[in-house]
Amino acid sequence: VKFLFFVRQQTPSSYDELRTWLLDAVGPEAIGARSTDAHDDAVVESPGEKRKRRVTSSERAAVKFLKDFDAMLAALTPRALEAFDVTEVAVFLGSTPLRPREIHAFKLESVRGRYDAPTTRTDGWDKALSNAGRKAVRECLPTLAGLPACDAVTRAFLMIRGKAMDEPPEGFLPKRGFKPLTRSTKVRAEFDFRRKDDDRAGDEEDGDDDDQAV
């Protein structure tokens, strides 16, 4: 999702580059990060150097975007996907989710119920997650690179499709029977996620070049 925002020109730089720039510009406290790196350490100022640089409007907007973006991604956890039997995650770009200009859908039918999320995160789990993310980007890149350029920066909506639920996952609003109106949709990309051992079988069964197995 982070890479999708960058490649569809919704952010001027990648997520990691934006976060690094804000850490240097406004400090870790402003974006809710802990000070762990050497360049994040507090600077001791002399009595004559207590005036702080004013945060610019662009920095404030970037901080707000980063916090909203992190909150959105925090709602998309393996446990939420499994608990609500999610079969599809989608990012809609447009002024409203009902009439999106772009739809980027990630199909999870082949991996539903197989997320294998550990109860506690370990270095091995983080490494596996990072490797899976890089593989997903590599597999999705050919399709995304072939899409027409995005004509404007717009609003984004994170959507999930799953079983009917009395209470939706935290951060989501229920929309039963929801179907977007696609008359004004200019871009639609779909990606079929499969486990590594399912790639070969999936490639033999469907020859659709528009889907990407990741």
Side-chain angles (χ1 to χ4, degrees), residues 82-105:
E82 188 169 17
F84 296 97
D85 198 18
V86 174
T87 59
E88 182 178 344
V89 175
V91 176
F92 288 8
L93 299 180
S95 58
T96 169
L98 185 60
R99 294 181 175 84
R101 296 183 63 82
E102 296 191 16
I103 297 177
H104 302 273

Side-chain angles (χ1 to χ4, degrees), residues 123-136:
D123 291 340
W125 168 254
D126 287 340
K127 182 178 180 180
L129 193 64
S130 179
N131 290 339
R134 285 194 292 268
K135 178 175 172 56

